[in-house]
Amino acid sequence: MPEERITVEVEGRRLGLSNLDKVLYPAHGFTKREVLDYYRRIAPAMLPHLRDRAATFRRFPDGVDGEPFYEKNVSRHAPDWVRTARLTNRGRRGGEETLDYPVVGDLPTLMWAANLAALELHIPQWTVGPRGARKPPDLLVFDLDPGPPADVVDCCRVAETLSDLLIGDGLTVYAKTSGNKGMQLYCPVRTRSGERTAEYAKAVAEELARRSPETIVAKMTKAIRPGRVFIDWSQNNTAKTTIAPYSLRGRAVPTVSTPVTWEEVEACRKAADLLFTAEQVLERVEEMGDLFGDITEHRAAVPQR
């Protein structure tokens, strides 16, 4: 069967779309058309969190049951209106590599990414300037990863303790689900150093692990993680990325990395309490607005610890 292709205009940009009826979430029957529709509708809430950030795509061309892959470098087939940031990073073999990262700052670029079956969009905790220069971090993140049989309920209890400490240090704390099994806490910050957020996050994670070794670990070692929550402070490394707010996840069901209220965190008693699908998230945003909407208004200096 020939590949279905149509051309549409999105905010003045011509964009080719293909295979709209292809099922990307077989267990749920969720098609590429529905993926595109979700990203179109969530764009007003999502785009402010993607804008000026060098994105990494996790693409699922054969759906969530197929083999996904990460893509940082913009394809030579990308439209010429897709903004990119040329950045040099340390490569896997120790050398340096220069890549042209996509910067998803508008609806046409978001639709282009969705058409590539980039179900997941991952972003760093820093932005790039108008000419693509990397700026210091403006976000501090703690990725809470439960080691089975621990789950997101255990993450919520750790999140409450972690939040108390961060607030005590003068920071404002925002929570979101990972859309998978864990959650993340974010604090808007100001710093001139690319290393300060990682240094502070490591000190905080290690302190909580010392306080509660039966429930919290601050090391990635898998042998010590079962039944505990790993506070992954290393996501603040400038070379790393975290799933973006409102991004779909490549699970059996089209779940979303969803901003949540602290009342929801405190009330969570079962994993299903903090698991939201694309349609549920659209309804939440219509009712509650973007719970991360004022995150840039509460930046504070990275504390000393």
Side-chain angles (χ1 to χ4, degrees), residues 10-13 15 47 81-82 105-113:
V10 182
E11 295 184 347
R13 303 294 194 184
L15 179 62
L47 285 173
W81 42 260
V82 171
D106 55 30
L107 181 59
T109 305
L110 184 58
M111 293 294 93
W112 166 72

Side-chain angles (χ1 to χ4, degrees), residues 108-188:
T109 305
L110 184 58
M111 293 294 93
W112 166 72
N115 186 62
L116 295 175
L119 302 181
E120 297 185 2
L121 282 74
H122 297 250
I123 51 175
Q125 314 317 315
W126 43 266
T127 61
V128 294
R131 297 181 181 179
R134 193 192 317 249
K135 294 184 176 181
D138 62 344
L139 291 172
L140 169 73
V141 64
F142 293 89
D143 188 14
L144 307 184
D145 187 7
D151 60 13
V152 74
V153 178
D154 300 280
C155 290
C156 286
R157 304 293 80 83
V158 171
E160 292 173 275
T161 301
L162 176 53
S163 176
D164 287 343
L165 186 155
L166 297 171
I167 291 171
D169 278 354
L171 299 173
T172 303
V173 191
Y174 295 75
K176 74 174 175 67
T177 72
S178 69
N180 194 350
K181 58 183 179 178
M183 64 189 303
Q184 289 101 27
L185 302 190
Y186 288 84
C187 301

Side-chain angles (χ1 to χ4, degrees), residues 73-279:
N73 209 25
V74 170
S75 165
R76 61 185 176 85
H77 301 296
D80 59 10
W81 42 260
V82 171
R83 181 187 172 193
T84 61
R86 178 161 293 186
L87 299 168
T88 299
N89 300 313
R90 185 176 297 279
R92 291 183 179 180
R93 298 180 180 178
E96 291 187 339
E97 60 178 5
T98 299
L99 302 175
D100 292 312
Y101 287 77
V103 180
V104 185
D106 55 30
L107 181 59
T109 305
L110 184 58
M111 293 294 93
W112 166 72
N115 186 62
L116 295 175
L119 302 181
E120 297 185 2
L121 282 74
H122 297 250
I123 51 175
Q125 314 317 315
W126 43 266
T127 61
V128 294
R131 297 181 181 179
R134 193 192 317 249
K135 294 184 176 181
D138 62 344
L139 291 172
L140 169 73
V141 64
F142 293 89
D143 188 14
L144 307 184
D145 187 7
D151 60 13
V152 74
V153 178
D154 300 280
C155 290
C156 286
R157 304 293 80 83
V158 171
E160 292 173 275
T161 301
L162 176 53
S163 176
D164 287 343
L165 186 155
L166 297 171
I167 291 171
D169 278 354
L171 299 173
T172 303
V173 191
Y174 295 75
K176 74 174 175 67
T177 72
S178 69
N180 194 350
K181 58 183 179 178
M183 64 189 303
Q184 289 101 27
L185 302 190
Y186 288 84
C187 301
V189 296
R190 297 189 308 270
T191 181
R192 294 182 179 180
S193 166
E195 290 75 42
R196 278 291 297 125
T197 50
E199 292 167 355
Y200 171 76
K202 181 180 181 182
V204 166
E206 291 178 343
E207 178 175 333
L208 291 185
R210 286 193 298 270
R211 287 189 200 174
S212 305
E214 69 285 352
T215 57
I216 298 172
V217 296
K219 295 180 180 179
M220 197 173 291
T221 309
K222 290 186 177 181
I224 64 174
R225 289 169 59 179
R228 297 177 174 87
V229 174
F230 170 42
I231 301 180
D232 187 356
W233 54 268
S234 73
Q235 294 297 311
N236 295 285
N237 183 315
T238 55
K240 291 194 174 184
T241 59
T242 307
I243 191 72
Y246 303 109
S247 175
L248 288 164
R249 298 308 304 262
R251 293 166 48 93
V253 174
T255 55
V256 173
S257 182
T258 310
V260 292
T261 67
W262 279 104
E263 290 76 14
E264 289 176 307
V265 173
E266 293 162 6
C268 180
R269 293 296 179 270
K270 58 183 185 298
D273 291 342
L274 289 185
L275 194 64
F276 303 102
T277 64
E279 193 58 41

Side-chain angles (χ1 to χ4, degrees), residues 24-59:
L24 297 181
Y25 292 83
H28 199 72
F30 204 73
T31 65
K32 183 194 268 193
R33 187 187 306 274
E34 290 171 296
V35 167
L36 284 157
D37 185 60
Y38 167 74
Y39 277 123
R40 177 186 64 82
R41 294 167 64 189
I42 202 63
M46 185 179 193
L47 285 173
H49 307 297
L50 298 174
R51 194 166 288 124
D52 295 329
R53 297 188 191 272
T56 295
F57 297 161
R58 193 177 186 211
R59 295 178 56 184

